[in-house]
Every structure is written in C-alpha cells, then in structure tokens.
Amino acid sequence: MGFSIHIIRKAIFTARKYQDYLTDERIQQWKDGVKTKQDDLLDVFINLKNHRLNIYEIKSQILDLIVATFDNVSNNIEWAMPEMINEPKILHKAIHELDNVVGKERLVQESDLQNLNYIKACVKEAFRLHPVAPFNLPHVTTADSNVAGYFIPKGSHVIVSRFGLGRNPRVWDDALTFNPGHHMNNDKEVVLTDNNLHTFLFSTGRRGCPGMLLGSTITTMLLARLVQGFAWELPSNEQHDVDLKENLHDLAKARPLSVIAKPRLPLHLYNTS
Ligand code: HEM
C-alpha cells in the first residue's frame, strides 16, 4: 500500500511540474492586465464569479483534465498497437488506408480523420476489448427505472461494466477477438462518440465524458501517426507475438509495450529538433 501511494505521489508530482507553473503564469497575466480575453478553459476557471476557485482548486481541475487526456489515450494505444502488430493483416489494412488517403509525402492531419474509417475502427475495437478501468464511474439513480426487465429503484448505486458490455457474446460475434470489422458498416462513417450502449467508451447522459470529441480525436490521431510514420517490429529477443496479458487490477497491459519503430516516410517529415 505504502509503495503504491509513493508511485502515485511521484506521478502527480511529475505531472504538476509540467503544468502548475503555466497556471501561475496565466493567473499573473490576468492580474497584470496583460490578458483580458478568455481563450480557453483555464481562463474560464480563473474568472469564475459564482463558484470562485482558489489557485489549488484550479490546479487540481487542470490535473484532472490532463490525466483524463493522457491516461485514456495512451492506454488505448498501448492495446491497439500490440493487437495490430500480432495480426499483420489488420496492420497492413490500416497502413493501406493511410497510404491511400494521405500518401507518404505528408503527415496525417485531423482533417483526414473523417476518411480514416479503418483506423477509427481499430481505436474503437481496442476500447471495446480493453477498457482500462473495467467499470464506469458510480452513479445514483434519481428515479425508479426498468432496464432490460430489471427493476432498479430510485437511489440505487449503478456501476456499469464496460468490460462486460464490450465482451458480451450476445452482442458481438467472436467477442474475444480483436477485429476492427466489428465497427465497419459498409460506407458509413465510423464514429467513436456514438452511444448505442453496445460499448461504453465515453459513457452517456449529462455526466458522460465532456472530453469525448477531444479524446476521440487525440486517440485516433496518435494511432494514425504511429501507423503511418513507422514500421513496427518486435525486438529480436521477443517471441513471435507481443504478450497480451492484462494487469488484473485495472486491465491495463501487464507489461509495457516494447517494440521497435523504423521510419517509413521521407526523413524531412520527422521533426528531430
Ligand atoms: C479517449 C479518451 C477518453 C475516454 C475513453 C474517456 C472516458 C470517460 C468516461 C467513461 C467517463 C465517465 C462518465 C460517467 O461517469 O458516466 C469520463 C468522465 C470524464 N471525462 Fe473523459 N474520457 C476521455 C478523454 C477525456 C478528456 C480529453 C477530457 C478533458 C479534457 C475528459 C474529461 C472527463 C471529465 C471531466 C469527466 C467527469 C465528468 C463528470 O463526472 O461529470 N475525458 N470520461
């Protein structure tokens, strides 16, 4: 227990080191009158009138948002990549899509995402099969309700299993296999933000994830850049496949992903400065 608290403290310290001073700088800019127009959420936090936040609360809010952003995204990619590397047909299909839509003379951009259905399906499939944090945040029902024939009285604590939904064999064919085809529907655009409750990427309703659009865009961009930009190989001391064991605490990958990346685009496209 003491050990894990130590790890968490260290991680929070590291995250804060990169962002707290930026919050201090911004607060000073408002105080000095250098900044007068609200451009982002940090400006909004600083200028709240009715629910005024002190500096510690502002920094904690920012930390929450930063953690939500890098944690969900990096965990997803750490699952999508090994699943794709282990299934070369899937990886080749994703590369083929990127080469067709974007080519090899420029880096993939956000404006390309609407045409990258297969890449989005890979991201979605990694979320379906590997929801890091197996349960949704707890919610309390505000009224009596019926769900699938079950009576749920007002005031119940409801904890939805993202893991159970994603691996439900009554909904998904071959539920335990990583297959982006699960999300491809002829020419219909694949979106990560739908909420038909077959998967529960961002939850739903008023307390659903407010960072849905940002989160799905960053995740898809990251996978697209990694697949477009590099050829991926296992280190020579590894077996044939990347090990897909889950950490039983939170379903993250038990061992960090370790693979070799080799550039596959013209070298001037890589910012090495
Ligand atoms: C791929 C990335 C992300 C995924 C999969 C994800 C998923 C989720 C889920 C499942 C919830 C729980 C919703 C519920 O309780 O019903 C949630 C809540 C939340 N997320 Fe995200 N999220 C992502 C990215 C982000 C980003 C980028 C931000 C902000 C910059 C963010 C901010 C939040 C906040 C503030 C809540 C709490 C909402 C509330 O309790 O009202 N998330 N997210």
Side-chain angles (χ1 to χ4, degrees), residues 64-66 68-69 72-73 76 127 136-139 162 200-204 206-212 214-216 218-219:
D64 243 16
L65 297 178
I66 299 285
T69 307
N72 284 303
V73 173
N76 173 272
F127 273 128
N136 205 23
L137 299 178
H139 288 265
R162 302 180 337 138
F200 220 52
L201 311 192
F202 298 95
S203 190
T204 186
R206 281 196 294 177
R207 296 302 297 270
C209 177
M212 227 180 257
L214 181 63
S216 57
I218 301 176
T219 316

Side-chain angles (χ1 to χ4, degrees), residues 79 129-130 163 167 243-248 251-254:
W79 275 119
L129 205 52
H130 303 289
F163 181 82
R167 298 189 179 199
D243 145 37
L244 294 176
K245 282 201 194 73
E246 288 152 347
N247 165 347
L248 294 180
L251 305 184
K253 220 173 146 304

Side-chain angles (χ1 to χ4, degrees), residues 7-46:
I7 292 177
I8 291 168
R9 282 213 179 110
K10 209 169 146 207
I12 290 178
F13 179 80
T14 307
R16 282 191 179 279
K17 196 173 68 180
Y18 288 103
Q19 70 202 38
D20 278 2
Y21 79 96
L22 293 168
T23 304
D24 290 328
E25 274 176 20
R26 188 75 68 84
I27 289 173
Q28 199 56 45
Q29 288 171 355
W30 279 98
K31 277 191 185 147
D32 296 345
V34 180
K35 204 157 188 356
T36 49
K37 185 172 147 275
Q38 295 186 14
D39 290 317
D40 59 24
L41 203 53
L42 179 53
D43 292 329
V44 174
F45 285 149
I46 293 171

